[in-house]
Amino acid sequence: MAAKRVNVLVYSGNGCTVEAVRHCVYSLRRLLSPNYAVISIDGNAIIKEPWTASCALLVFPGGADLGYCRTLNGEGNRRISQYVERGGSYMGFCAGAYYGSKKCEFEVGHPKLEVVGDRELAFFPGICRGLAFPGFVYHSEAGAKAVELEVSKTGLTKGSLPDVFRSYYNGGGVFVDAPKYHEQGVEILANFTEPLKVDAGEGSAAVLYCKVDQGAAVLSCAHPEFAAVNLDRESTVPGYSKIVDALAEDEKQRTDFLKACLLKLGLKVNQENTAVPSLSRLHLSSVLPGGTSKMMADLQEIITIVDGEEYIKDDNDTFHLEKPSAWSLGSIADALPAVSSEKTDEGGDAEDRDIDYNAVVKRLVVHDKEPPQSKETPYFNHDSFFANLEHYETRTKGCGDNIGKSFMYGEVVTSTNTILEKNTEVLRRLPSGFTATATVQVAGRGRGSNVWVSPTGSLMFSTIVRHPVSLTPHAPVVFLQYLAALAIVEGVKTYDPPDHANTSSDAVDPSSEQLVKVGGILVNSHYNASEFLSVIGIGLNTTNAAPTTSLNALKPPAPFTLEKLLARILTSFSALYNRFIQTGFDKSFEEMYYKHWLHTGQVVTLEAEGGVRARIKGITSDWGLLLAEELAWEDRPTGKVWQLQSDSNSFDFFKGLVKRKG
């Protein structure tokens, strides 16, 4: 089965600088969202996780490439090379360009800075030699320049291309004799126009495209991913503010060139840049009698007052508590346009720059009288959600708790899972069944090195389950992930009355080569006294076409709405959970799970066991471990069975690979 490549992975391990990673992530997210998830990946994940099948582009930013070598020489580089040779794409900036060349020559003869040596990737089959321009100092802007690049219209043919533009430079090299490698699949995308410090041989190539078997690499000695808006004009380096001003003047040309490089690698690029989203206010409400007041009473001991304002400072976030009247919603609601937005990032609307979302104070509006009205939250209708929640409760056997009745919504949030799971003081005081949802997440979380791409139209939510430790002997907390999966399937299938139950989930053929992922589940649990505090995070492409497909794109009899589908999944989970705590994951649960499971009978490779082949048989009924039966010649079973723990292994379903996690 072929997975759709939706991840753009930016190396953030040994050797790179934090600033270089931030610049990469910032620019690539603006150009590639929502079609791709742009996320960081460390060396351990490159070596041990099954990232290659879903990776559209692997990016190595600036830094010091000796650190890359120390971490990735051998197995790491073998996996990178194999990924590119089999159709993957690599992009290297500055140190990433040195690293992607056959040989690195850096400040030859310098007593402290010299770095000379062969490199294993060798996408460019020649030498990358630096410094192209003098003055470089590690961890400093002393050698920074706004260098002029002349763009090759023969190497780049797609997109709007500038003739020349200025790009940030600090420590990069030049590709020696680059024109001589044309017959080996090397194309020059841009040249330096200024005199160089080192001998470049023939030409002065600054940016290259290298064909590598079925894949390709783009290597850049300059930094076209650096946006002037994220550079510090107040730097004490003489003349640095003039460098920033020069780069700002060529911002459009820089962006157009970077777009063209991404198009050259076959990525789908936005025609318009995606602005950095500002976080919105969070809205806290409940339909339980006195529910909001009860939640605020439970949170009271962690509320602090500063200048007459109430705040909660927790492990990951700081929340500023507001009443609806504090921002005059009651008086201005009628005057608000139907699609109004209420963003809160300081400076977020003034300039499109990189934002440290963790540092932004989250404003929490406490609705203690009634849920927010539609003009306050134009992209989520609370009345519709709570009405559907009540409707499904009455028709769902065993749904008897308060799931979803205490509720938080934000138009733009970091991640509903992070807000709940990473703020433990708040988490300990919220009721079981408390649910948070959002229209857009800017940092959605997934398992391992994954994130969930979460544009408008995705159903994204997290729910708290307080699972008693005393239930462990017959109902272990590990099965919550399986209950969540069943709840999604049951929620989708029973979204409409029985005569319309043939919904989109029936239209997917598990044997189809076109099978794509439309949802993900992440469960994190904390042990707290006599219970597990579990946060179940779910992302489900519902009405959005990108990055893969969505439920509505599969043309169900009745289109899904986010409010109604959320209510259906929550009530389905409630009924399943209430039954689970009574019976455990019994035979009927197993039959229900296997009915919808896609893994049964799948042949996989167990890398941790020396690459042996095995067939997936199911999961254990006691702890939910994956059962894999060893196969011999002609895939005949040997009788040996492994029990694999999900937290210790990565299961790449599309690639048929089980790897041991580090």
Side-chain angles (χ1 to χ4, degrees):
M1 264 172 264
K4 186 171 181 178
R5 297 178 183 257
V6 296
N7 288 336
V8 172
L9 304 178
V10 179
Y11 177 73
S12 61
N14 186 26
C16 66
T17 68
V18 173
E19 286 302 309
V21 173
R22 289 179 63 239
H23 278 284
C24 275
V25 171
Y26 167 85
S27 288
L28 293 173
R29 280 182 175 168
R30 292 182 77 232
L31 299 182
L32 298 175
S33 177
N35 299 301
Y36 304 92
V38 181
I39 54 178
S40 60
I41 183 172
D42 61 19
N44 188 58
I46 286 178
I47 294 169
K48 297 183 178 181
E49 297 254 357
W51 54 271
T52 58
S54 60
C55 180
L57 175 66
L58 179 64
V59 183
F60 270 66
D65 94 318
L66 280 179
Y68 305 168
C69 295
R70 294 187 188 103
T71 299
L72 297 170
N73 274 358
E75 177 62 15
N77 287 335
R78 184 193 69 79
R79 299 195 76 211
I80 295 171
S81 295
Q82 186 180 76
Y83 156 72
V84 176
E85 290 166 0
R86 293 180 177 179
S89 296
Y90 174 98
M91 181 172 274
F93 299 107
C94 198
Y98 284 116
Y99 191 59
S101 301
K102 185 176 182 180
K103 187 173 184 179
C104 168
E105 291 184 1
F106 182 82
E107 285 292 78
V108 176
H110 194 290
K112 294 183 179 179
L113 295 180
E114 178 181 282
V115 177
V116 178
D118 293 336
R119 297 294 181 259
E120 294 179 346
L121 296 180
F123 298 138
F124 171 57
I127 301 169
C128 184
R129 179 179 292 157
L131 296 167
F133 302 97
F136 174 76
V137 178
Y138 278 110
H139 309 297
S140 168
E141 300 289 0
K145 287 175 60 70
V147 298
E148 186 177 75
L149 300 181
E150 182 181 28
V151 179
S152 168
K153 299 295 181 69
T154 56
L156 293 172
T157 57
K158 295 181 179 179
S160 174
L161 292 171
D163 293 322
V164 296
F165 74 99
R166 286 165 291 184
S167 172
Y168 179 88
Y169 166 91
N170 194 357
V174 60
F175 299 106
V176 179
D177 290 325
K180 295 181 179 180
Y181 296 96
H182 180 73
E183 295 300 320
Q184 297 182 47
V186 174
E187 300 177 37
I188 298 172
L189 304 185
N191 289 294
F192 291 117
T193 64
E194 304 167 43
L196 302 175
K197 176 180 179 289
V198 294
D199 180 10
E202 182 182 342
S204 55
V207 186
L208 298 179
Y209 170 87
C210 305
K211 183 63 178 170
V212 185
D213 204 345
Q214 299 176 51
V218 167
L219 308 178
S220 175
C221 295
H223 283 284
E225 82 284 14
F226 273 42
V229 71
N230 293 320
L231 297 173
D232 182 12
R233 295 188 77 263
E234 306 303 318
S235 171
T236 57
V237 174
Y240 189 71
S241 62
K242 293 182 179 179
I243 294 173
V244 177
D245 290 341
L247 295 172
E249 290 176 5
D250 285 4
E251 172 63 17
K252 181 181 185 303
Q253 294 91 324
R254 175 197 74 85
T255 303
D256 287 344
F257 177 77
L258 187 55
K259 282 182 179 180
C261 291
L262 294 167
L263 288 169
K264 181 80 172 177
L265 289 171
L267 277 78
K268 185 177 181 180
V269 179
N270 292 330
Q271 294 304 310
E272 299 295 331
N273 297 342
T274 301
V276 177
S278 299
L279 300 183
S280 66
R281 286 177 168 86
L282 302 169
H283 296 269
L284 182 71
S285 62
S286 177
V287 290
L288 295 172
T292 307
S293 298
K294 174 66 166 60
M295 282 190 287
M296 294 311 301
D298 291 338
L299 294 169
Q300 193 62 44
E301 61 181 326
I302 59 172
I303 294 176
T304 58
I305 298 177
V306 179
D307 296 331
E309 299 291 325
E310 293 183 324
Y311 293 86
I312 296 176
K313 183 173 178 56
D314 212 325
D315 301 332
N316 193 76
D317 296 298
T318 297
F319 303 91
H320 180 194
L321 307 185
E322 298 179 349
K323 297 287 187 181
S325 58
W327 47 303
S328 304
L329 272 180
S331 60
I332 69 169
D334 293 336
L336 289 175
V339 292
S340 65
S341 182
E342 29 108 23
K343 310 294 175 60
T344 65
D345 279 342
E346 292 82 353
D349 296 329
E351 206 166 15
D352 185 19
R353 65 171 66 243
D354 191 16
I355 297 172
D356 181 359
Y357 289 111
N358 287 335
V360 176
V361 175
K362 282 71 179 176
R363 301 198 175 192
L364 181 63
V365 183
V366 181
H367 297 264
D368 52 3
K369 294 183 179 179
E370 62 180 4
Q373 298 302 300
S374 59
K375 287 187 176 182
E376 300 169 50
T377 57
Y379 297 102
F380 189 87
N381 189 316
H382 285 71
D383 289 340
S384 173
F385 165 68
F386 286 123
N388 277 294
L389 193 68
E390 181 179 7
H391 165 71
Y392 283 126
E393 273 190 340
T394 59
R395 53 176 285 192
T396 304
K397 183 180 179 181
C399 179
D401 54 20
N402 293 321
I403 193 167
K405 294 184 178 179
S406 295
F407 195 73
M408 183 173 71
Y409 165 77
E411 181 184 326
V412 181
V413 307
T414 51
S415 157
T416 60
N417 194 274
T418 295
I419 289 174
L420 296 183
E421 194 261 330
K422 295 296 183 183
N423 293 297
T424 54
E425 292 298 323
V426 170
L427 176 62
R428 291 189 188 111
R429 292 165 174 82
L430 291 175
S432 190
F434 181 91
T435 298
T437 191
T439 297
V440 174
Q441 291 186 149
V442 296
R445 297 171 65 197
R447 295 190 62 187
S449 60
N450 296 321
V451 298
W452 188 250
V453 186
S454 42
T456 302
S458 294
L459 176 59
M460 304 158 285
F461 68 97
S462 297
T463 297
I464 296 173
V465 174
R466 306 179 79 102
H467 187 74
V469 173
S470 60
L471 298 178
T472 299
H474 78 281
V477 69
V478 68
F479 281 101
L480 291 184
Q481 61 187 322
Y482 302 126
L483 299 183
L486 286 172
I488 293 172
V489 174
E490 291 300 310
V492 169
K493 284 183 169 290
T494 60
Y495 178 83
D496 263 359
D499 56 328
H500 293 297
N502 184 27
T503 62
S504 59
S505 58
D506 296 319
V508 178
D509 178 4
S511 64
S512 171
E513 290 295 321
Q514 299 302 314
L515 191 65
V516 294
K517 182 177 180 180
V518 297
I521 301 168
L522 176 66
V523 181
N524 288 297
S525 297
H526 297 256
Y527 177 73
N528 182 46
S530 61
E531 62 185 1
F532 291 103
L533 291 176
S534 299
V535 178
I536 301 172
I538 291 174
L540 189 61
N541 290 350
T542 306
T543 66
N544 54 298
T548 55
T549 188
S550 66
L551 295 179
N552 277 353
L554 298 174
K555 303 187 184 305
F560 292 93
T561 66
L562 299 179
E563 294 88 349
K564 185 175 179 181
L565 183 58
L566 174 57
R568 188 65 194 115
I569 292 174
L570 287 175
T571 50
S572 295
F573 178 83
S574 175
L576 291 168
Y577 178 72
N578 287 332
R579 179 175 145 200
F580 169 69
I581 61 177
Q582 298 295 323
T583 67
F585 205 79
D586 60 9
K587 194 68 174 177
S588 61
F589 265 119
E590 285 187 24
E591 292 173 354
M592 187 189 313
Y593 192 77
Y594 290 143
K595 177 182 177 182
H596 303 301
W597 206 40
L598 300 178
H599 299 314
T600 300
Q602 184 180 359
V603 175
V604 299
T605 300
L606 304 181
E607 284 206 352
E609 305 299 335
V612 302
R613 287 167 61 83
R615 179 176 284 111
I616 300 300
K617 303 297 291 182
I619 57 175
T620 65
S621 59
D622 50 1
W623 297 104
L625 304 179
L626 193 67
L627 291 171
E629 182 180 44
E630 184 182 47
L631 299 176
W633 185 66
E634 294 185 341
D635 286 347
R636 294 176 180 175
T638 66
K640 184 175 183 179
V641 176
W642 281 277
Q643 295 187 5
L644 306 174
Q645 187 174 348
S646 61
D647 286 344
S648 302
N649 296 276
S650 295
F651 185 6
D652 190 327
F653 167 50
F654 292 100
K655 192 176 178 183
L657 180 68
V658 178
K659 286 183 62 69
R660 178 76 64 187
K661 289 183 180 179

